[in-house]
Amino acid sequence: MDDVKIKVMADRLVRKVTASSLHHPSVRARLAEMREMAPEDRRRVVQAFADRHRHGGDTLPVRVRLLTLTALVGHGLDGLPLAEERAAQLEVLGRAHSFWYVDRCESLVRAEAADGRAISPAVIATVRRTAVSTYSDQELVRFAASFAEPVLNVGEAWAERAMEDGRLRELLAHAVTAKAAKPSAAWEKRGRALALDLGAEVVREALLPLLALVGRPRTFELERAAYEPDVNAAFDPYNANALRGLVWLLALLPAHPDTARALGALVETSLRKAAGLGPRNPKVANAAVGALARSDGEAALAELARLGTRVTYKGTLKLIDAALEDRAGALGLSREEIEELAVPAYGLTEVGKAAFGFGEAAAELRVSGNRAALLWRNAAGKQVKTVPATVRRDHPEELKELKGLVKDIEKSLSAQAERLDRQFLARRRWVYGQWRARYLDHPLVGTLARRLIWTVDGTPVCFADGALRTLAGTTVTEGAAVELWHPVGRDPAEVLAWREWLERHTVTQPFKQAHREVYLLTDAERRTRTYSNRFAAHVLRQHQFNSLTSARGWHNRLRLCVDDSLPPATRELPQWGLRAEYWIEGEGHEYGIDTTESGTYLRLRTDQVRFYPIGAPQNWASTYGGGYTMWLSDGQGAVDPLPLTEIPELVLSEVMRDVDLFVGVASVGNDPTWSDGGPEGRFRDYWTSYGFGELGASAETRRALLERLVPRLAVADRCTVEGRFLHVRGELHTYKIHLGSGNILMSPNDQYLCIVPGGAGAAGAADPGYLPFEGDRTLAVILSKAMLLAKDTEITDPTITSQLNRR
């Protein structure tokens, strides 16, 4: 075959590959024919590819295909041209997360190996990641499986640390094969044998530190392609299989508190979101939940119960719910009871306290509010600020366990406070004796329950001076039925009296109860009858809204700027036979401005709140907007929304409070950096009206509280509450802090002052003193800003001083 025909043959193949792909049947057939050619002719075709590549007139994609064709046609030939160019392209490949499998980049890898060059671990990792997501290409899957080393992919801290431990080689190789949703009997048999060979204690001590490294920044970053999700925040999918296998292995070991703690942390790490990806790896999270469900003992049950209040990803939450339901069924208890019994004492020997000896030194653990602290005494019995040197030297393991206990307590306090806050709509009633054991006198939960108001046989009581007491101070030591007190339906004088009682006894409630907002039916809602517009026409940050709905027990799905339909945000209330709906739609339609790179709306617009019977057909609407309509299956009839007058006062108030929370936290109106109105300035009017407008119910509660708190502040002589604002007199200006948004206007001419909470030298460091409840971040920000601005000449943050000194 002469040179002209060789060149024509080579160019035709390049055009065909460029027009279709290397996987196109006609291309594959032509490559097969070429591989049957005489070696000398094949070498001449390969040389034609090389000459064209060196000529440099083609685009980069074509040049890459020339390298690939060189490897494919020249497979088996020695001394292939373009060796350096292929090596350089493989370096690029090693920095990619994966490649489009039809490009057959693995052919370059084969060629390098055929020429006797070692394949870098980074390139092997890219091939493996591609194969994991490309099961249809069995040739690529088999090729990826041909690499026995390294046993895991490089790039993740936990994996690289695991490969440094020679004892784990066989265990890791077995873990990598965990590709199913659940382990098979054969997989478990092999896993048990490997764990037995090493010893359960050795395996646990080796694996738990590895789990603590999961989710750390990559040891080297991958180059993110256009429109690709944040691959550097994602789990390596090949390593994720191994991680799932290691979790399964831990489930085969005897139960241990450290294991339960590590698995619970892994669930949360795996569900942390990455840009354009969502939860980083739900499969690993689900495996960890499955391991906890299989584990006996108090610690695993406690982790499941805690995760039940923290996890919002629906697939994993469903597994957690099923595990708790199974455990409840096995014990003949309700789901609520199993959650109550699942809370461990965490070593506390009385409510909020425990003592630990370390030789001649000692530590006292105290729970105060939502924090746990250690108080140390040295061998002489003197209180010291830091851990005694003898404890660090002689008791390192016990010290490590104690510090882990403190972290567990703080995580559990947060989870238990959220669980208690949800009890208002749960219609729970306890037998007095059980309630005392599970709540008031429980070593951990008691630190929360003793700061709440309860009713014993209808009489409101709270804990003070070592006993349950009524408003009048009468002690209550027995009763029949206990319920959680709620201000709805209570005389305003009683509510005010309890607020004063809390302040008098300096009780800080774990969430708003005595100061809880009450949302009563308005005249406007009586006129609209079946829906409320109280929280309509707001612009919310979608991702923050979605997180809040999940945390409060609502069901919601992210809106994408695509042709799709979704139901509204809903909360089912089975105890009341009701379903609440908050109607929302995506805001804007311009990619990159109104959406993320993956097309998810950044913002939402809000509409009506409605109530339906819980079994009513669901309403649906286009994600672009345009109104909701009820989706009816065969034989179903439309169901009208319920009149708001028929909704129980407690249900209406709590649902509206949730929606007020969504707006109050997620609205773009309370973002101090949005004074320009955001994209194209189109939200300026909304930002101004929300950021400085009339106060909602939560802001009115804040106003009433500030009127009582301001006189006690160190800067009381410079602060007054007037209308919608807290006025603060500084040396440079007078300031008005809006009680709803926390935004600031300053003299002269009500100029806007931007202070971002948590910024260097900004609000957040000052201690506002006693507050009657936890959890109102806006209140804390307002008080911190007030204390900062009252001494405005002492502010050093240049982003603030540049505004203060502007004329």
Side-chain angles (χ1 to χ4, degrees), residues 609-625:
V609 175
R610 294 189 175 202
F611 291 87
Y612 288 87
I614 195 168
Q618 186 65 267
N619 288 301
W620 292 71
S622 168
T623 52
Y624 290 132

Side-chain angles (χ1 to χ4, degrees), residues 43-227:
R43 191 176 296 280
R44 292 165 64 197
V45 173
V46 166
Q47 190 58 51
F49 292 146
D51 292 343
R52 179 167 173 172
H53 185 278
R54 293 189 180 109
H55 184 265
D58 293 305
T59 62
L60 179 61
V62 173
R63 288 168 61 80
V64 173
R65 281 175 168 78
L66 285 168
L67 292 174
T68 307
L69 288 171
T70 299
L72 287 171
V73 175
H75 182 63
L77 299 176
D78 57 356
L80 288 180
L82 303 178
E84 292 184 4
E85 291 83 352
R86 283 184 281 117
Q89 187 59 37
L90 285 179
E91 285 188 22
V92 173
L93 185 65
R95 296 192 297 271
H97 177 267
S98 55
F99 55 84
W100 192 32
Y101 77 100
V102 296
D103 283 341
R104 303 304 298 273
C105 290
E106 77 277 9
S107 299
L108 295 178
V109 183
R110 290 183 191 274
E112 285 291 283
D115 279 353
R117 294 188 179 92
I119 307 302
S120 74
V123 171
I124 293 172
T126 303
V127 172
R128 285 171 169 172
R129 285 191 293 266
T130 306
V132 166
S133 58
T134 319
Y135 289 109
S136 59
D137 187 342
Q138 291 304 309
E139 183 179 346
L140 175 57
V141 171
R142 286 191 294 271
F143 178 61
S146 68
F147 294 102
E149 294 293 340
V151 65
L152 300 178
N153 280 354
V154 296
E156 291 184 317
W158 79 265
E160 293 183 3
R161 180 74 60 82
M163 289 187 288
E164 292 172 1
D165 190 337
R167 300 172 301 171
L168 300 180
R169 175 63 181 78
E170 287 190 69
L171 210 62
L172 295 174
H174 184 57
V176 167
T177 64
K179 299 177 182 179
K182 294 181 180 180
S184 66
W187 194 98
E188 287 196 352
K189 182 179 180 181
R190 173 63 176 160
R192 287 183 192 278
L194 291 171
L196 183 63
D197 287 344
L198 287 175
E201 194 68 23
V202 171
V203 172
R204 179 169 51 250
E205 290 180 354
L207 296 188
L208 295 192
L210 299 179
L211 298 192
L213 296 175
V214 174
R216 296 279 182 90
R218 286 183 56 85
T219 57
F220 63 89
E221 286 204 351
L222 300 173
E223 292 184 0
R224 186 177 176 185
Y227 305 109

Side-chain angles (χ1 to χ4, degrees), residues 333-613:
L333 301 171
S334 68
R335 163 68 183 274
E336 291 80 9
E337 288 179 301
I338 202 69
E339 288 180 342
E340 292 168 356
L341 293 172
V343 186
Y346 292 109
L348 300 171
T349 52
E350 55 183 299
V351 176
K353 294 182 180 180
F356 302 88
F358 295 87
E360 295 182 348
E364 182 182 356
L365 194 160
R366 291 183 185 176
V367 176
S368 178
N370 60 359
R371 301 300 302 273
L374 291 171
L375 303 177
W376 289 95
R377 294 187 183 278
N378 61 19
K382 181 181 177 181
Q383 186 170 318
V384 291
K385 294 182 179 180
T386 59
V387 181
T390 57
V391 176
R392 289 196 297 268
R393 184 189 66 227
D394 300 334
H395 306 276
E397 290 303 317
E398 295 94 325
L399 179 61
K400 178 182 176 182
E401 177 63 26
L402 184 57
K403 289 182 176 180
L405 194 64
V406 169
K407 293 180 180 179
D408 288 348
I409 287 173
E410 292 185 347
K411 288 193 294 183
S412 187
L413 282 170
S414 175
Q416 293 306 314
E418 291 181 18
R419 182 175 69 85
L420 281 165
D421 195 16
R422 294 181 186 178
Q423 296 302 309
F424 291 113
L425 286 176
R427 308 185 86 170
R428 290 296 308 282
R429 176 177 288 187
W430 295 268
V431 175
Y432 180 82
Q434 285 185 342
W435 169 76
R436 283 209 67 126
R438 298 177 185 178
Y439 287 88
L440 197 69
D441 297 332
H442 187 281
L444 180 75
V445 182
T447 65
L448 304 171
R450 293 186 177 192
R451 294 185 283 139
L452 295 173
I453 305 167
W454 305 82
T455 64
V456 177
D457 297 337
T459 300
V461 296
C462 194
F463 192 88
D465 301 325
L468 284 175
R469 299 183 185 277
T470 65
L471 273 171
T474 305
T475 59
V476 175
T477 59
E478 59 183 4
V482 181
E483 294 180 281
L484 195 58
W485 181 91
H486 193 287
V488 159
R490 298 284 174 177
D491 188 289
E494 178 190 335
V495 177
L496 180 59
W498 273 115
R499 292 179 179 180
E500 293 173 345
W501 189 96
L502 293 172
E503 292 178 27
R504 191 164 61 249
H505 290 83
T506 62
V507 173
T508 298
Q509 298 198 288
F511 47 81
K512 288 184 184 178
Q513 187 188 26
H515 293 79
R516 204 172 187 85
E517 301 83 6
V518 173
Y519 298 78
L520 302 177
L521 208 59
T522 65
D523 289 339
E525 288 163 344
R526 294 181 193 280
R527 288 192 295 270
T528 56
R529 277 193 74 250
T530 58
Y531 61 89
S532 169
N533 277 327
R534 196 184 309 197
F535 299 105
H538 287 281
V539 181
L540 311 183
R541 294 179 289 266
Q542 174 171 212
H543 291 83
Q544 195 167 16
F545 170 80
N546 189 59
S547 296
L548 288 167
T549 55
S550 296
R552 294 298 300 168
W554 289 65
H555 299 289
N556 182 59
R557 291 162 62 185
L558 288 172
R559 268 68 181 160
L560 277 71
C561 189
V562 296
D563 186 12
D564 192 12
S565 294
L566 291 175
T570 62
R571 182 172 182 182
E572 294 186 346
L573 305 164
Q575 296 89 344
W576 304 86
L578 297 172
R579 182 181 77 230
E581 296 186 353
Y582 190 24
W583 289 9
I584 53 176
E585 63 181 44
E587 168 24 67
H589 300 295
E590 190 167 347
Y591 266 77
I593 295 178
D594 297 315
T595 73
T596 64
E597 290 182 357
S598 59
T600 304
Y601 279 110
L602 292 171
R603 292 168 291 275
L604 301 170
R605 282 197 179 270
T606 67
D607 203 342
Q608 303 172 6
V609 175
R610 294 189 175 202
F611 291 87
Y612 288 87

Side-chain angles (χ1 to χ4, degrees), residues 664-719:
V665 175
S667 172
V668 299
N670 60 20
D671 186 337
T673 64
W674 267 57
S675 57
D676 62 355
E680 302 172 354
R682 65 180 186 270
F683 302 113
R684 186 177 292 112
D685 290 343
Y686 169 75
W687 185 88
T688 301
S689 65
Y690 181 89
F692 300 105
E694 295 299 321
L695 302 182
S698 60
E700 286 288 0
T701 299
R702 202 173 289 133
R703 182 184 187 280
L705 178 59
L706 282 169
E707 288 177 337
R708 300 177 63 87
L709 292 178
V710 164
R712 306 171 192 172
L713 296 178
V715 294
D717 60 327
R718 291 179 171 269
C719 299

